[in-house]
Amino acid sequence: MMLEDLYRLLRTGHVQAQGVVDTMTQPIVVLDQSLCVSTANNAFLKTFKVERDDILGESFFDLGNGQWDITELRQLIAAVIPKAAAVIGYEVVHDFPTIGRRTFLVDARHLVHPDDNSTNILVLFDDVTETQRRDTEKDFIISETRHRMKNLFAVVRSLAMRMDAEALTGVDYRDRFLGRLEVTLHAQEIAAINETADFETLLRQSVSEPEMDRLHCEGPTVQIPGSRIVPISMMFHELATNALKYGALSVPKGALHIEWSLEDGSESRSYFVCRWREIGGPTVAPPKRRGYGTELIEGTCRHLGGTVELNFDPKGLAVIIKLPWKHL
Amino acid sequence: MSEPENGEIPPGIVLVVEDEFFIAIELESVLSRSGFEVLGPASSVDQALDLLKRQRPDAAVLDVTLGSEKVTPVALLLKSWGVPFVLASASDPAELARHDVFAKVPNLGKPTDMKRLVDVVRSLCSL
């Protein structure tokens, strides 16, 4: 082989190698025996915002006012040199003055020159900052979803436990259970999507469509906070169901009047007060036993720190619900 | 689970903080059927703190996430009083470990095994 051919062969090899290194998206730097930079690829210059001329021949740990003088990195390189080994995926977290806090997986490899046994160290950086951030975000979303699922399951279980099952056929129990489950899930859906919900909208949703014109609402615009959407919806669903089965909405002439307002109470606290009145329905008699509906309404009001008065007036059920109110 | 016998001293007053109504009343009924006096259930931090102004419980059962707030202020107050508490939360152990006040506190999880809850609360009250 002619010397010229040999030169051409070497040159081709070199150009190819250089091309591969420059095309790589991961930053690479080669250090000589005294840990000075002998070469760096384009990705290195771009990632760390440095100029080639400013780093070549300079001591790596002194670069950019010592921004590379990272304890972990020193240890890593110190470990590579004597053992002539490669270290793969060593995690380094560091605050860089120009590019901010980054997490790198660093590979370091010992390169031995065939002629003089001099050593070079190839250091390769894999920026996993963004990947790790996305992983954390994903973990959070998964954990949040799992949390909600568990909570929802506990709610469904308690709902089934609380409902009267005595003297009901299986079919009746199932239908009532599903009816209540539907209201709960629907209200949870509203609560999940919205920060707050308009009280009148929630109220109207609890009364079925054909009865809408017999529902008379009067009150200011009130936004119900997310955490209260479910209990308030369920409470009014119970009242409306009761009105439809036994109360004013069970006869054609009957009607519902609902008024609400925000009122000031003692110790500079406010209350949301809602008055529910049934008119023109059949004569009302107090229930013989506390049913699920009554328990739910009383329990919910107490749970929200409020009170409820259920007045079984023979002319029509009258309910006053009073809940402590935080102005949004 | 049985009603406490007449004249028997109730095993303790238990604060319950849980924002889901159905779960709250289930906790309440299970604990009161086991003879405990239940304080609450409270659905928010403010409400729980209000109850604590009036009465000091012997133990507490806390949910961690209450709507958009965390139960932390209640837990801190209880801790400062030396009132033992247990968690009944669906939260991740890793999430809980980030708050000092919840570290090392047993979490019975959700859905909660009510029999175990009663046993744990009973042991807290007899501390």
Side-chain angles (χ1 to χ4, degrees):
Chain A
M1 193 185 282
M2 300 287 289
L3 194 60
E4 202 176 320
D5 291 336
L6 186 63
Y7 173 75
R8 195 170 292 126
L9 196 68
L10 281 174
R11 201 178 135 69
T12 309
H14 176 79
V15 168
Q16 272 179 351
Q18 190 66 48
V20 169
V21 169
D22 280 345
T23 313
M24 283 188 71
T25 51
Q26 288 144 314
I28 297 173
V29 65
V30 180
L31 309 180
D32 65 17
Q33 247 167 331
S34 49
L35 302 180
C36 290
V37 177
S38 58
T39 180
N41 73 343
N42 291 337
F44 184 90
L45 305 176
K46 215 173 122 203
T47 304
F48 299 108
K49 299 195 167 79
V50 287
E51 297 293 332
R52 196 181 296 272
D53 290 344
D54 294 341
I55 61 169
L56 286 182
E58 298 295 321
S59 161
F60 184 64
F61 291 117
D62 293 339
L63 283 184
N65 295 324
Q67 62 171 315
W68 285 103
D69 201 353
I70 306 164
T71 319
E72 292 107 311
L73 205 57
R74 265 194 190 277
Q75 284 167 351
L76 172 70
I77 288 170
V80 170
I81 297 166
K83 291 176 192 145
V87 175
I88 309 287
Y90 189 89
E91 188 176 307
V92 175
V93 183
H94 187 63
D95 277 310
F96 291 92
T98 43
I99 58 170
R101 189 178 182 80
R102 291 297 169 101
T103 307
F104 288 103
L105 294 183
V106 181
D107 296 349
R109 191 179 289 275
H110 189 126
L111 302 174
V112 182
H113 203 279
D115 292 342
D116 56 6
N117 261 351
S118 73
T119 52
N120 279 334
I121 297 168
L122 178 72
V123 189
L124 197 143
F125 300 84
D126 193 3
D127 187 346
V128 292
T129 318
E130 187 59 16
T131 324
Q132 285 195 346
R133 193 191 58 78
R134 251 184 262 135
D135 282 352
T136 315
E137 200 175 88
K138 201 171 70 194
D139 287 351
F140 175 78
I141 293 169
I142 291 172
S143 126
E144 187 61 25
T145 309
R146 198 175 285 140
H147 174 264
R148 287 193 186 186
M149 299 265 292
K150 281 196 227 167
N151 222 12
L152 193 57
F153 182 67
V155 168
V156 171
R157 185 179 172 280
S158 302
L159 182 66
M161 293 290 293
R162 295 311 299 173
M163 277 181 50
D164 300 320
E166 274 169 49
L168 284 185
T169 65
V171 174
D172 279 345
Y173 178 84
R174 183 195 63 196
D175 291 348
R176 287 190 196 184
F177 174 73
L178 290 180
R180 279 158 180 154
L181 186 61
E182 206 173 309
V183 181
T184 312
L185 295 184
H186 184 65
Q188 289 212 329
E189 188 71 22
I190 296 174
I193 301 170
N194 306 286
E195 294 264 303
T196 63
D198 177 53
F199 175 67
E200 191 171 332
T201 311
L202 287 184
L203 189 61
R204 287 187 177 279
Q205 278 173 353
S206 63
V207 177
S208 59
E209 197 61 44
E211 321 300 335
M212 214 49 105
D213 53 340
R214 296 202 275 159
L215 181 68
H216 304 282
C217 297
E218 205 185 319
T221 306
V222 170
Q223 291 295 317
I224 304 293
S227 61
R228 296 190 158 195
I229 292 174
V230 177
I232 287 178
S233 298
M234 287 187 336
M235 207 153 57
F236 283 98
H237 172 78
E238 285 306 318
L239 284 170
T241 307
N242 185 68
L244 201 61
K245 272 198 204 155
Y246 316 107
L249 297 183
S250 68
V251 294
K253 284 188 306 175
L256 269 180
H257 286 261
I258 304 161
E259 292 166 25
W260 62 91
S261 55
L262 294 176
E263 295 174 11
D264 291 331
S266 57
E267 290 179 47
S268 69
R269 290 184 184 196
S270 294
Y271 290 90
F272 169 70
V273 183
C274 179
R275 293 179 176 83
W276 169 288
R277 266 185 316 129
E278 299 186 20
I279 289 166
T283 306
V284 172
K288 288 180 195 73
R289 52 185 289 271
R290 266 167 58 91
Y292 167 88
T294 315
E295 191 180 78
L296 180 124
I297 294 163
E298 289 179 347
T300 304
C301 286
R302 201 175 54 233
H303 188 224
L304 297 176
T307 55
V308 59
E309 281 174 44
L310 291 161
N311 182 3
F312 296 95
D313 183 338
K315 282 182 279 179
L317 177 69
V319 183
I320 302 174
I321 290 166
K322 199 173 170 187
L323 301 174
W325 197 255
K326 255 192 202 169
H327 286 282
L328 296 173
Chain B
M1 278 170 273
S2 59
E3 291 287 331
E5 283 170 34
N6 279 348
E8 196 183 303
I9 303 157
I13 302 168
V14 182
L15 170 73
V16 174
V17 184
E18 163 62 63
D19 65 330
E20 286 287 356
F21 169 70
F22 287 113
I23 301 171
I25 53 171
E26 196 182 358
L27 289 170
E28 182 188 18
S29 76
V30 164
L31 289 169
S32 55
R33 265 184 290 158
S34 307
F36 295 99
E37 188 183 328
V38 174
L39 189 57
S43 63
S44 66
V45 169
D46 279 355
Q47 209 186 329
L49 294 178
D50 266 1
L51 291 170
L52 289 174
K53 266 185 225 162
R54 274 176 260 157
Q55 202 164 16
R56 180 183 165 144
D58 300 299
V61 178
L62 308 180
D63 179 20
V64 175
T65 311
L66 307 171
S68 53
E69 57 182 12
K70 296 268 180 213
V71 80
T72 322
V74 180
L76 287 169
L77 181 64
L78 291 170
K79 198 181 174 188
S80 74
W81 284 354
V83 173
F85 57 88
V86 64
L87 304 176
S89 163
S91 296
D92 228 53
E95 162 68 24
L96 293 176
R98 269 191 273 160
H99 304 270
D100 278 354
V101 70
F102 301 134
K104 293 179 195 155
V105 174
N107 179 14
L108 299 177
K110 246 184 205 176
T112 313
D113 176 347
M114 291 297 167
K115 197 182 163 306
R116 199 174 145 223
L117 177 89
V118 170
D119 291 344
V120 172
V121 170
R122 191 169 285 138
S123 71
L124 292 182
C125 282
S126 59
L127 285 178

